Amino acid sequence: MSTKQGVKLLKKIRLLEPTMPTRATGVFKGEASGFLNWNDILYEKFYDVYTQVLNNFWKPSQVSMVQDKKQWGELDKNIQDKFLEILTMLSGLDSLQTPTLIEILKFIKDPAVKAILANFAQQESIHNESYSYVNSSLIPLERQKELFKKIQSHPQVIKRNKPIVDAYQRFVDEPTPQHLFEALIHSTNLEGIYFYLAFAFYYNLGRQQLMTGTATMISYIHRDEMVHFDFIATLVQILMYEYPELNTEENVQFIYDTIGKAVELEKEWSEEMLGDIEEKADIDLDEFHDYIEYLANKRLRMFGLDNLYEDYKENPMPWIKTFDDESINLTKTDFFEQKSRTYAQVSTSNGFDEL
């Protein structure tokens, strides 16, 4: 590990270290040749994750937008506006992920983890393409540019994104184990908390048989993100194992505080987006707020921590259960057009039974 004015930094990997073992002795620390032999890896779960990522592969062009185009003009103007603003916001969030994952890759010793994160980065690019694909199907380029300009300067968007952007930039500027830990927790918030108003909004349209192409695409993105944040939680646990000095009460509190703050910001965002059209959008925001707390508890349990909020015995947003984490995770199915697109199913042996 190198130093910068007395601060211990993670050491950037060399592309190959032929004298080192093929099987990595650590993910962030240890030795590794850089050669990848999937039959000789540090943790078997890594291959399960890699296989799941490949099985989940999809392209935006596979989803028909014909019906969405027909229905677009029939939507209420306020619903149209929120549809586009939320979609553009998603594009902004996912734009952060590809370059950040590439930065993290520079410090990963284990070639299996490098392969997984490289695929995650590619998936995030596909997500961005999908938002552009939807926009290009519905509105002209000039309107798209206006939306991006609006979102880039929107006070609530800036407030919401600032903790994540700051954490990512701290890691890029000073790649210490602590800053990596903080960036990974914020990544969990981005993919495991921040996207869920958007998911609920588009799923709500889909269950009314409206904009089903968009809702189908969102279900694919949803499932990708579940694999991402589950694996990121695994990396956090490995990081804390390899750097035991990270195992502090302060860092446990950091997880609680950061996830709690993300929940409050997602609630604020929901009020900003839908507060004045809650009835028209047919979403109960109080119910949604309970749902976000329910999800936050699940994210905390991924880190082996106790619930922060009321222990919801059932999903507090019953209608979304058809499209929630457990249902999306079972199979690649078009929920809205009812066309089977089944790939390999996830099982408890893959470690995704508690998403």
Side-chain angles (χ1 to χ4, degrees):
M1 183 183 293
S2 59
T3 61
K4 177 183 176 182
Q5 296 181 344
V7 177
K8 290 186 177 181
L9 304 179
L10 293 165
K11 184 180 179 181
K12 284 187 179 181
I13 60 166
R14 292 176 59 84
L15 293 178
L16 289 178
E17 296 275 12
T19 62
M20 298 300 178
T22 300
R23 178 177 180 172
T25 61
V27 172
F28 304 97
K29 290 177 77 172
E31 301 174 338
S33 68
F35 293 100
L36 176 54
N37 176 4
W38 281 111
N39 298 315
D40 187 23
I41 57 178
L42 184 59
Y43 297 107
E44 289 185 9
K45 179 180 177 178
F46 291 168
Y47 188 67
D48 296 330
V49 176
Y50 178 76
T51 302
Q52 180 65 12
V53 172
L54 296 186
N55 287 340
N56 286 355
F57 179 77
W58 61 282
K59 295 189 296 184
S61 58
Q62 294 171 332
V63 181
S64 173
M65 292 296 294
V66 172
Q67 191 65 21
D68 291 45
K69 290 179 184 179
K70 292 178 180 178
Q71 293 178 337
W72 179 246
E74 302 169 9
L75 293 181
D76 178 90
K77 177 64 166 57
N78 293 130
I79 299 298
Q80 284 186 344
D81 289 343
K82 301 305 179 184
F83 181 105
L84 295 171
E85 287 182 21
I86 293 172
L87 196 73
T88 307
M89 179 275 300
L90 286 176
S91 185
L93 288 176
D94 267 339
S95 295
L96 284 170
Q97 292 302 86
T98 297
T100 303
L101 287 166
I102 290 170
E103 288 295 326
I104 292 172
L105 271 169
K106 296 175 183 178
F107 302 94
I108 299 292
K109 289 286 186 69
D110 192 309
V113 176
K114 287 190 282 187
I116 291 167
L117 293 186
N119 275 277
F120 283 5
Q122 186 255 5
Q123 285 183 325
E124 298 295 357
S125 295
I126 288 177
H127 299 171
N128 270 112
E129 181 192 355
S130 72
Y131 308 134
S132 298
Y133 177 68
V134 172
N135 274 332
S136 67
S137 301
L138 303 175
I139 57 174
L141 180 58
E142 286 307 311
R143 179 75 194 284
Q144 296 175 45
K145 291 179 180 179
E146 291 171 4
L147 284 163
F148 271 91
K149 188 176 293 186
K150 178 180 179 180
I151 287 295
Q152 285 172 247
S153 59
H154 193 296
Q156 190 65 39
V157 173
I158 294 171
K159 178 182 178 182
R160 186 166 175 264
N161 293 355
K162 190 175 188 305
I164 294 174
V165 175
D166 287 351
Y168 285 3
Q169 194 62 52
R170 273 195 302 273
F171 169 70
V172 171
D173 293 342
E174 194 173 73
T176 67
Q178 178 66 33
H179 288 166
L180 177 57
F181 164 80
E182 293 172 4
L184 293 175
I185 300 300
H186 278 285
S187 178
T188 302
N189 285 339
L190 188 152
E191 298 184 317
I193 301 291
Y194 274 14
F195 280 10
Y196 279 78
L197 173 67
F199 293 160
F201 178 82
Y202 296 115
Y203 289 157
N204 187 53
L205 290 173
R207 69 174 177 148
Q208 301 171 61
Q209 292 301 306
L210 296 171
M211 311 303 288
T212 55
T214 302
T216 295
M217 199 128 41
I218 289 297
S219 76
Y220 293 170
I221 293 169
H222 183 174
R223 195 190 46 189
D224 288 345
E225 302 298 12
M226 284 193 301
V227 178
H228 295 189
F229 65 65
D230 179 82
F231 187 65
I232 292 299
T234 299
L235 290 186
V236 169
Q237 293 167 345
I238 292 172
L239 180 68
M240 297 180 82
Y241 171 75
E242 295 186 2
Y243 291 94
E245 63 269 27
L246 296 176
N247 289 278
T248 64
E249 291 183 9
E250 289 79 10
N251 276 342
V252 170
Q253 192 60 47
F254 177 86
I255 296 174
Y256 278 116
D257 292 345
T258 306
I259 289 180
K261 181 64 173 177
V263 167
E264 294 310 307
L265 288 171
E266 182 70 354
K267 289 178 181 178
E268 286 183 21
W269 175 251
S270 70
E271 295 287 350
E272 173 75 21
M273 283 290 98
L274 302 180
D276 57 343
I277 61 163
E278 184 175 354
E279 185 174 341
K280 191 179 289 186
D282 192 29
I283 291 182
D284 182 337
L285 289 181
D286 288 335
E287 183 181 64
F288 175 74
H289 294 167
D290 290 343
Y291 177 59
I292 288 299
E293 292 181 357
Y294 162 79
L295 291 175
N297 286 342
K298 294 176 72 175
R299 307 303 174 244
L300 286 165
R301 291 198 297 271
M302 292 192 315
F303 297 114
L305 300 178
D306 295 330
N307 292 342
L308 182 60
Y309 301 98
E310 174 188 341
D311 186 9
Y312 297 95
K313 300 301 182 185
E314 300 287 340
N315 187 328
M317 187 180 277
W319 67 264
I320 206 172
K321 191 160 187 173
T322 306
F323 322 114
D324 70 4
D325 287 8
E326 286 80 6
S327 297
I328 290 283
N329 198 39
L330 290 176
T331 180
K332 190 179 183 94
T333 301
D334 186 328
F335 291 102
F336 307 97
E337 297 176 7
Q338 303 303 313
K339 294 177 184 175
S340 177
R341 298 185 181 193
T342 303
Y343 288 71
Q345 291 193 358
V346 181
S347 68
T348 54
S349 66
N350 291 350
F352 299 124
D353 54 316
E354 185 52 37
L355 284 174

